[in-house]
Amino acid sequence: DGPNAIVEGRITFTAPYEGAPGCVHGGFIASAFDEVLGVAQSASGQPGMTANLTVDYRSPTPILRELVFRGWCERVEGRKIFTRGTVHHGDTLCAESTGLFISMRPELFERLLALRETNR
């Protein structure tokens, strides 16, 4: 808990998530980072929305193997929340990510909640 918390998630991607033969498609890796870093940034106490997400692919990410995603909040500057994350298969670094989140003003959060209720 708290702004220095490390979020960890474990996942095994199956055949529908394959890109290159035997590897997880990079788009699914990016999506998983968005979720993990999104949870990590919420520990800042001023949760926000993704403004930028960068993924650096370091080695092939295997399907049908357990992967460990980790994410953390590096720093907060005003409304900007800077995050980092990694995904490993065993000791192998498969990808790294940085994310910039912008904390929402309370009035925007309330407006989004109202819009969600209207659309249900």
Side-chain angles (χ1 to χ4, degrees), residues 28-50:
F28 294 113
I29 299 297
S31 179
F33 270 126
D34 194 31
E35 286 298 318
V36 169
L37 297 183
V39 172
Q41 63 86 31
S42 68
S44 72
Q46 304 173 37
M49 297 172 70
T50 310

Side-chain angles (χ1 to χ4, degrees), residues 103-113:
S103 64
M104 285 186 281
R105 291 190 170 94
E107 61 272 12
L108 173 59
F109 186 77
E110 293 300 322
R111 196 165 52 230
L112 290 173
L113 283 176

Side-chain angles (χ1 to χ4, degrees), residues 23-24 29 56-62 87-89 91-96:
C23 300
V24 180
I29 299 297
D56 294 316
Y57 299 93
R58 301 297 184 196
S59 68
T61 305
V87 59
H88 284 82
H89 167 248
D91 292 333
T92 302
L93 175 63
C94 298
E96 299 176 281

